[in-house]
Every structure is written in C-alpha cells, then in structure tokens.
Amino acid sequence: ADYNPWPYVEVKLLKQLQSRVSLAIPEYKFIGEPDKDFPYHFAGYEYISGDSLSNADRTQLLDRTIGKQLGEFFSALHAFSTDEAKRIGLRVNNPGFDPKMNEVVGQLDMIRPQLSNDIYHKTKDEFERAGELLNVGLDILRPIHNDMYPGHVLISENCDRVAGIIDWSDAALGDPAIEFGQLWAYFGDKQFNSILDHYDQPVNENMIERIKLHGLIASIVGLHYGIYRSEEHTSELQSH
C-alpha cells in the first residue's frame, strides 16, 4: 500500500518543482493505469519545444547564458527540501561503491581495445582511488535529476538558451556531483565552470574531484554503450 510506482513519484515531485525552478519541466496532464492490453503505467505532458543538447554544435553555445540558466536551475533543484522529497517517495540513489565500480571497471576492460594504453591506465588509476571520493558522496542527499545525459537538456533553435529539462524517471536523493559530472564530461572545464559560477549551493575541492570522477564514469559508460549498442553513438562520443 505504501509503494508508489512510477510515474506517481515523478508527477508529485515535478508538481512541487514547477514554481521553484526557472526552466520548463514536464507538467503532467494524465496518468494511465496498466490493463490487459498495455500492462504498464504511462503518463503524458504537454510538448516542450526545443532541440536536444546532444544535437547542438557546441561552438555555437553561448556559455554565459546557458551556464547561468543551468546554474540557477540546479541551485533551486538541489535546495528543494530533502524531507519533502522523502515524503513524496523519492528513492535514495545509493548502490554502494563496490557494485557501481565493479560494473564500470568491467566496462572499461571491455572497451580497452578502443583506448590507448595511456588513457586506459590513467583511467584505471583514477578508478582505484575512487572509493574514498564516492563514499563521501554517499552521505550527501539532495534531490537530483540523476540522468543529465545531454539528450535530456532541450535548447532553443538558436542555441542561445535552455528550453527545458526532460526525462525525470531516474530522479532520486543523491550527490549533486553525479549529475554535474555528466555535464562536465559533455561541456569540459570552461563551459561547465560557467554553470558553477551561477550555482549558489556549497562547492568545495572535494566536490570538484567527485564531479570529475563521475564525469569519467559517465564517459566510460557512454563509450561502452556506444561500442556495444550503437555505432552512431560511438561516432558522436569519439568526435568529442
């Protein structure tokens, strides 16, 4: 009776966030119940106009404008009450260090033929010292989107503003460095720093290290996915 399946938790969370965040997020209009013809929950929201950030020419992105928008957005998201998020039913993103890193190290070993020896060994070294950093992050619980793949960031046709943030099904309570790491891996230092310049929650050197570690993890996971699941995705990642 206490179990709230997707999309009920997501709908409740986004309803609470609507008046708090500065970017468009899904505003659900209906929830469909499973039946004999379609045995899954489903939900629908009004279309949010914009193109995927993953399709954008990053040389055309206006660092300060988009950085300001994302910095202010994450400031509001990460400041949302943890207690309220728990009441809504947001789960804790805490897989533990060993299961997470065992999986990622396995993926790194699988893609080793596509990497130079230098990159492989440097990445392996970073992962060997990852435990201490990730364990610090396990004690930090903030509401996070938790899947900041560039395809979930919508931008305007002219690449001059963020149009919205979509796909909240993985939202959880966890370390903000997780989603910042995904953005750092995509943008690189300069553009990512423009996000932190407008982020008003605490940031210290340890968090920066965790961000870069999670960015490295996201890159390995993405390359593994691309190599084994999608030739097109591989080409995109290698071009970056």
Side-chain angles (χ1 to χ4, degrees), residues 7-49:
Y8 290 100
V9 173
E10 181 180 347
V11 169
K12 289 179 182 179
L13 173 67
L14 295 182
K15 184 176 181 180
Q16 292 296 316
L17 290 176
Q18 287 290 344
S19 62
R20 292 175 166 87
V21 298
S22 53
L23 297 174
I25 56 177
E27 186 172 359
Y28 283 96
K29 299 301 183 182
F30 65 85
I31 299 176
E33 297 291 335
D35 60 24
K36 63 181 180 62
D37 296 319
F38 190 77
Y40 306 101
H41 286 90
F42 60 96
Y45 58 87
E46 290 186 1
Y47 176 72
I48 299 175
S49 179

Side-chain angles (χ1 to χ4, degrees), residues 158-213:
N158 295 327
C159 296
D160 60 353
R161 63 180 178 83
V162 180
I165 307 292
I166 60 171
D167 199 340
W168 288 74
S169 58
D170 290 319
L173 288 168
D175 183 2
I178 294 172
E179 54 197 12
F180 279 153
Q182 293 172 312
L183 291 172
W184 173 80
Y186 178 80
F187 282 115
D189 282 326
K190 181 181 177 182
Q191 288 181 312
F192 178 74
N193 285 341
S194 72
I195 298 174
L196 289 187
D197 286 343
H198 296 91
Y199 182 66
D200 65 10
Q201 299 299 301
V203 176
N204 57 29
E205 187 59 35
N206 184 274
M207 182 175 179
I208 298 297
E209 289 186 57
R210 297 198 314 276
I211 287 171
K212 293 186 177 182
L213 174 61

Side-chain angles (χ1 to χ4, degrees), residues 2 25 29 33 37 41 62 64 70 74 80 84 87 99 114 119 124-125 132 136 180 191 202 219 225 228 232:
D2 294 331
I25 56 177
K29 299 301 183 182
E33 297 291 335
D37 296 319
H41 286 90
L62 299 181
R64 287 178 295 177
L70 289 174
F74 286 113
F80 184 72
E84 179 62 22
R87 283 194 289 271
Q114 282 74 36
I119 289 177
K124 194 88 168 184
D125 289 344
E132 183 178 347
V136 170
F180 279 153
Q191 288 181 312
S219 297
Y225 177 88
Y228 288 95
E232 180 180 346

